Each structure stands twice: as structure tokens, then as C-alpha cells.
Amino acid sequence: MWGSIWAKSVLCLIVVAMATLIYFWIRSKEKVKALALISHKIRTPMSLIISPLVQLIDNDPDEQRQKTYNLMLHNAQRLQLLAAQATDEEPIGPVPGIESEYNVSTDLQQSRTTRHLVIVEDDDEVRKYLCEQFSTDYHIHEATNGKQALQLIFEKKPDAIISDVTMPQMDGITLCRKLKKNIQLAHIPVILLTARADEEATLQGLGIGADAYITKPFNIKILRQKISNLIQLRQQLRNVYQGKQLQEDKLETIEAEDYEDKLMERLMNVINNHIGDADFSVETLCEEVGISRTSLHRKLKEKTNQSTSIFIRNVRLKQAEKLLLETNLHVSEIATKVGFKHTSYFINSFRELYGMSPNEWKERERSK
């Protein structure tokens, strides 16, 4: 009985959505723009229809209900195809059931209480659905826009982030770009969810550093496995690095000159010697180190993923971090000591790197 009522409700929802699509197609003077909007609005709730349907098809042994579920899934996929065709996008295609190999790994399940996941989605129903689906494997932190999420990410340092693309105040693309430019947050995997399935949108998302770009409606099992894989990959890289460090601790030191290590040492020495000089520039650094600006930019990008000017700024901020903890100097005095001409620029730069003002950071660190 429940299955029958549920089925009728979903079928009614699909019929209403199709009627809405046809109505706007006829009435709108700006047909392309209107259809793109409708497509986006339809594809988001489709995630809440197709994913549960796939789960029901996988788990419910009743043959009669299986027929109903498959009919509903067929019509949902037809609506999905119409939404894609309305904006000349490639159809995403059917969302097949996923077999047991897509289950979350045992390692991740065993450590579920230590994992943190930030979900950023302005649609209340989609956000609630995602939170429910991942709550058994992660500590969930939710936000309704990128601006709110950014502050949350600075505070929680999550293991992964799921974010919608189209949101108010700060969209998912801007959020991802800010995260990947921040050396303290760039390692966190970011999965973007979007209603757009065209190649241009996908390239934009991947181009700004997103680790995955998934179109709506999405299969929850694939999304879950994608997150699991990304987290495990980060853990493996961390283990490799830590293992290397442990092995190096046991080796006898052999003196050998490495050009890049020597270069970084010279860079740090020059920057530290000029740490209080507000007029110290990239050109001065290149001149004293003896390297061209282009070569230095390329080397720093390879070693730190930072431009030369950002690298200098971050060294200044790290020095400011020490002064905040070890002295009682005012923020303006610290800004001057580490080479910032304007206190406001120092505060904004500090907030960009640490997610809070210098005074807020000092209070938090001293209270630990």
C-alpha cells in the first residue's frame, strides 16, 4: 500500500514538472534562458527521486513493487533527458544500480567517527538528504552558501567538502577557487554538484581545482565512493610522506648539495633579512638570490603551488603568527615589523590565510 501511494505521488510530481516545462517553453519570450532555468530547477529535485528509486530497486525483493519502481525510474529518466535537451546539453543517461563493490571501504567505516564532511547546498531538501545519507560515516557540518561554508571549513578542517555550484552570496566555483589558493586548505578534496552537464561547465569546475564534478541527478552510491576514494588517496599520500620522513630519520646524514633545497634556503634567508622592509619586492628577491623572475616563479609553483609575491606574503604572515603568540604587541605594530605598510591590508591578508582576524586567532590559540 505504501509503495503504491508513494509511486502515485512521484508520478504526479513528474507530470507537474513536465507540464511546467511545456508551459514555460510556450510562454517565455526568452526561450533559451527560461529553459535553462527550468532545467536547473528540475535536475536538482531529480536527485531526490532517482537515487532513492535506485536504492529501492536494489533492496526491495517484491516483484510487483519492482515493476512500479522501474516504471517510475523510466519516466524520471525521460524527464531528465527532456531537461538536458531543453538546453542543448548532453543527456546524463540512466542511473544504473551499483553493485556491492561501490560500498564504502572497511578502512573508512572503521574510522567513521574521526571523519568530518562539510555539505554546502542552498536547497533545503537536497542538503537534508545528503546529510542523512552521510551521517553514518562522517561528522556532518552543513552550510547554505559558500561564504558560510568558508568560515566553517577554516574552523573544522574537514576531510572532504561537497558543494553545490549555484548558490547565493558565494557560489561553489568561487568557494573552490578560494580553498585551492589557500595553502592551509588546498589539500581538502572538493566535490562540486551541478545541474549543468555541458563540457564547458565541467572544464570550468575542474580548471579551478575541483577534485570531482558530478551532475545532478547523482547516484548516491557513486558519490559516496568518490568521496571515500579521495579521502583514502589523501591518506595514502600522507602515509608515504610520513614513512619517508621516518626512514630518513634512521639514515646517517650524507652531505650533498641539492640545488632546489639550496635555492629555498637562500630565498628564506633573503626574505627573513628583509622581513621588516615594506618596500622589499619580487625584483629585489630575484636580484639578491641570482635567479630570473620567470625561473623563480616556476620553481615556487612546483615546490609550493604559490606565486612569488604570495610566497613572500605568507612568510611575513608566519612571522606575524609567532609575534602574536610570543609578544603583547598591538596588531598595527606587528604589521609594521613584518613589512606591511597598511594595517588593514595585513588584517585582510591574515584573514584570507587563517579564516579569522589576528586578534581572533591569538585568542583561540592562547585558549588551547
Side-chain angles (χ1 to χ4, degrees):
M1 182 65 181
W2 177 89
S4 177
I5 295 174
W6 193 84
K8 289 179 180 178
S9 299
V10 175
L11 287 173
C12 287
L13 177 62
I14 293 174
V15 170
V16 170
M18 292 183 69
T20 303
L21 180 63
I22 294 170
Y23 173 80
F24 276 95
W25 187 83
I26 295 173
R27 294 293 301 272
S28 176
K29 293 182 180 179
E30 299 179 357
K31 185 174 70 172
V32 175
K33 183 177 180 180
L35 289 176
L37 176 62
I38 297 167
S39 174
H40 175 78
K41 295 298 183 183
I42 289 175
R43 292 158 79 92
T44 296
M46 286 296 289
S47 302
L48 303 180
I49 297 173
I50 291 182
S51 289
L53 272 176
V54 172
Q55 290 180 335
L56 287 170
I57 291 171
D58 286 346
N59 300 324
D60 194 337
D62 188 277
E63 292 184 4
Q64 189 59 39
R65 286 199 292 266
Q66 283 283 337
K67 292 180 180 179
T68 303
Y69 298 150
N70 279 292
L71 176 63
M72 293 157 55
L73 181 59
H74 174 70
N75 283 280
Q77 289 170 348
R78 287 182 61 193
L79 180 59
Q80 175 189 349
L81 179 61
L82 286 171
Q85 290 174 338
T87 50
D88 295 324
E89 296 176 351
E90 290 295 323
I92 301 172
V95 183
I98 307 300
E99 303 301 329
S100 59
E101 66 262 26
Y102 285 103
N103 291 333
V104 177
S105 69
T106 304
D107 290 340
L108 186 57
Q109 289 176 344
Q110 290 175 346
S111 60
R112 71 180 67 180
T113 55
T114 66
R115 304 289 188 184
H116 291 258
L117 178 66
V118 169
I119 296 174
V120 195
E121 170 63 68
D122 61 327
D123 187 292
D124 294 338
E125 292 185 359
V126 175
R127 190 176 66 257
K128 181 180 178 182
Y129 172 71
L130 288 170
C131 290
E132 289 174 350
Q133 289 296 315
F134 290 102
S135 61
T136 57
D137 299 310
Y138 304 90
H139 294 290
I140 302 298
H141 311 281
E142 52 184 298
T144 58
N145 60 69
K147 184 178 180 181
Q148 185 184 82
L150 188 60
Q151 186 62 40
L152 191 61
I153 293 164
F154 270 112
E155 293 174 4
K156 302 299 181 181
K157 299 293 193 300
D159 296 277
I161 301 159
I162 300 175
S163 176
D164 188 22
V165 169
T166 306
M167 296 180 294
Q169 296 191 47
M170 184 190 294
D171 61 30
I173 296 293
T174 304
L175 172 63
C176 184
R177 185 181 292 113
K178 285 180 176 291
L179 293 174
K180 295 305 179 181
K181 285 185 176 181
N182 190 298
I183 58 172
Q184 300 196 95
L185 306 174
H187 66 284
I188 303 174
V190 178
I191 298 93
L192 294 178
L193 303 179
T194 179
R196 294 183 60 186
D198 57 288
E199 291 182 356
E200 182 181 351
T202 303
L203 288 172
Q204 182 188 21
L206 297 176
I208 52 94
D211 297 270
Y213 195 84
I214 298 178
T215 50
K216 299 177 182 178
F218 52 82
N219 186 300
I220 193 66
K221 292 183 180 179
I222 292 178
L223 179 58
R224 183 180 287 114
Q225 187 63 39
K226 178 73 73 175
I227 295 171
S228 173
N229 289 348
L230 288 170
I231 291 176
Q232 287 186 66
L233 177 61
R234 293 297 192 277
Q235 185 62 52
Q236 288 169 1
L237 291 174
R238 189 180 299 115
N239 291 343
V240 168
Y241 176 75
Q242 291 176 342
K244 180 181 178 182
Q245 294 299 100
L246 290 173
Q247 294 167 19
E248 289 176 350
D249 289 343
K250 299 174 184 177
L251 295 175
E252 293 184 4
T253 302
I254 300 176
E255 294 296 330
E257 288 198 8
D258 181 274
Y259 172 74
E260 291 190 352
D261 289 342
K262 290 292 183 181
L263 173 62
M264 293 301 295
E265 184 179 341
R266 291 204 304 274
L267 288 174
M268 292 302 300
N269 286 337
V270 173
I271 295 172
N272 285 327
N273 289 337
H274 293 273
I275 199 69
D277 182 4
D279 295 319
F280 179 67
S281 64
V282 174
E283 288 74 14
T284 304
L285 176 62
C286 293
E287 184 179 338
E288 293 199 18
V289 172
I291 188 173
S292 70
R293 181 167 184 157
T294 303
S295 297
L296 180 57
H297 177 80
R298 186 177 66 253
K299 291 291 184 184
L300 284 177
K301 272 291 184 179
E302 291 174 357
K303 296 279 287 185
T304 69
N305 196 33
Q306 301 171 67
S307 66
T308 308
S309 58
I310 294 298
F311 181 78
I312 295 172
R313 188 203 68 172
N314 288 345
V315 172
R316 294 184 189 276
L317 292 174
K318 293 300 289 186
Q319 291 288 357
E321 179 183 316
K322 292 182 179 180
L323 292 175
L324 284 167
L325 286 177
E326 298 171 2
T327 72
N328 291 316
L329 294 172
H330 292 296
V331 170
S332 58
E333 294 175 297
I334 292 176
T336 302
K337 283 187 173 295
V338 296
F340 284 85
K341 287 183 178 180
H342 305 289
T343 304
S344 59
Y345 177 61
F346 168 71
I347 293 173
N348 289 335
S349 298
F350 194 95
R351 188 185 297 276
E352 182 181 332
L353 185 62
Y354 295 92
M356 60 191 72
S357 70
N359 283 329
E360 290 171 338
W361 183 87
K362 180 170 68 175
E363 289 178 9
R364 190 193 69 177
E365 293 300 309
R366 288 188 173 182
S367 64
K368 288 182 178 180

